[in-house]
Amino acid sequence: MSDQLRPRASLRTAVVWEVLKDALERRVKATGREALDVLDTGGGTGNFAVPVARLGHRVTVVDPSPNALFALERRADEAGVADRVRGVQGDILGLFDVVERNGYDAVLCHGVLEYVDDPAEGVRNAVDALRPSGALSLLGAGLGGAVLARALAGHFTEARQALTDPDGRWGAGDPVPRRFTAGQLSALVTDAGVEVGAVHGVRVFADLVPGVLVDTEPGAMDELLRLEAAVAELPAFHSVATQLHVLGEKRA
Ligand SMILES: C[S@@+](CC[C@H](N)C(=O)[O-])C[C@H]1O[C@@H](n2cnc3c(N)ncnc32)[C@H](O)[C@@H]1O
């Protein structure tokens, strides 16, 4: 696929997808089962759920949005995995009204914690849905990335506001209700009974680079993807990432 045709969406998902795919492979080996039971809390339209189902796993998506679930159903159908994707309307804070405890080999919680009233309860529920030794994949908005982005856009007061606001918001117009540091996310999962395996910084440069450069410069997209992959695991870059990914294993 040429650089021009490569979906820019891969810049948002590539690092997390590689980490998640490896974690699922490890669960397949550990459990001896080819098809895992995967729960995607706040899975939305299936950015991750559909590719996970394409690997052969059974995916349950819990999301409060009927529109998202409708789009998910269509997408799963188009991808030929409708029989392996189940959409359920529900809330991560009332997770066990709609799914069972201790029923999943892997639980995804991507881009959800920033929107829930009680992130600690959200993480506890995600972990309680896991079988012992199950994999938790948690993705949350990073505080430092937002500070950097506001500052580079010349909004210095907002950058400082995000830095000092208890929820990491840059002002009343900020569309994201809450942001996290890597330490905060790691503490949330550790407190919920998960051993942290890896922390990755996601979209360290992707949102700061002018789109025209990536879209028109030959090879630039591939190089940027490689750069993102190279810095993702380096703790020094976690503090400026737009998102932070924590991969962990539920303590047996
Ligand atoms: C930014 S989207 C992320 C979608 C998907 N996880 C992904 O990574 O592409 C946030 C999703 O969380 C869902 N959501 C919001 N509040 C939620 C809650 N309390 N419980 C579960 N899902 C929620 C929204 O409906 C939306 O689909």
Side-chain angles (χ1 to χ4, degrees), residues 40-44 47-48 62-65 68 90-92 110-112 115-116:
D40 191 353
T41 58
N47 282 336
F48 287 89
V62 172
D63 200 288
S65 161
D91 193 300
I92 195 169
H110 292 174
V112 181
Y115 299 100
V116 303

Side-chain angles (χ1 to χ4, degrees), residues 43-218:
T45 60
N47 282 336
F48 287 89
V50 169
V52 168
R54 290 180 81 152
L55 295 176
H57 305 303
R58 293 176 289 267
V59 189
T60 301
V61 172
V62 172
D63 200 288
S65 161
N67 288 344
L69 291 173
F70 180 72
L72 166 75
E73 199 178 309
R74 230 184 29 201
R75 204 163 165 185
D77 206 29
E78 281 166 11
V81 293
D83 57 332
R84 292 200 291 279
V85 176
R86 184 170 71 104
V88 182
Q89 197 174 357
D91 193 300
I92 195 169
L93 297 186
L95 194 58
F96 302 111
D97 293 343
V98 289
V99 301
E100 55 171 324
R101 284 179 198 271
N102 308 311
Y104 296 89
D105 301 298
V107 173
L108 281 54
C109 180
H110 292 174
V112 181
L113 281 195
E114 26 304 48
Y115 299 100
V116 303
D117 291 337
D118 187 343
E121 188 186 342
V123 175
R124 276 197 301 274
N125 285 350
V127 173
D128 285 352
L130 280 170
R131 292 175 179 144
S133 303
L136 177 72
S137 175
L138 182 70
L139 183 67
L143 171 64
V147 174
L148 189 63
R150 292 323 281 171
L152 290 184
H155 303 300
F156 307 122
T157 311
E158 291 177 353
R160 196 159 44 81
Q161 166 81 16
L163 203 54
T164 52
D165 182 78
D167 292 323
R169 303 185 73 223
W170 47 254
D174 190 338
V176 179
R178 190 176 288 105
R179 295 189 178 82
F180 306 90
T181 62
Q184 286 169 333
L185 281 185
S186 296
L188 282 174
V189 307
T190 304
D191 291 350
V194 162
E195 203 69 52
V196 174
V199 179
H200 286 84
V202 179
R203 288 158 58 191
V204 172
F205 306 109
D207 300 344
L208 304 175
V209 175
V212 62
L213 201 155
V214 179
D215 292 335
T216 58
E217 195 73 21

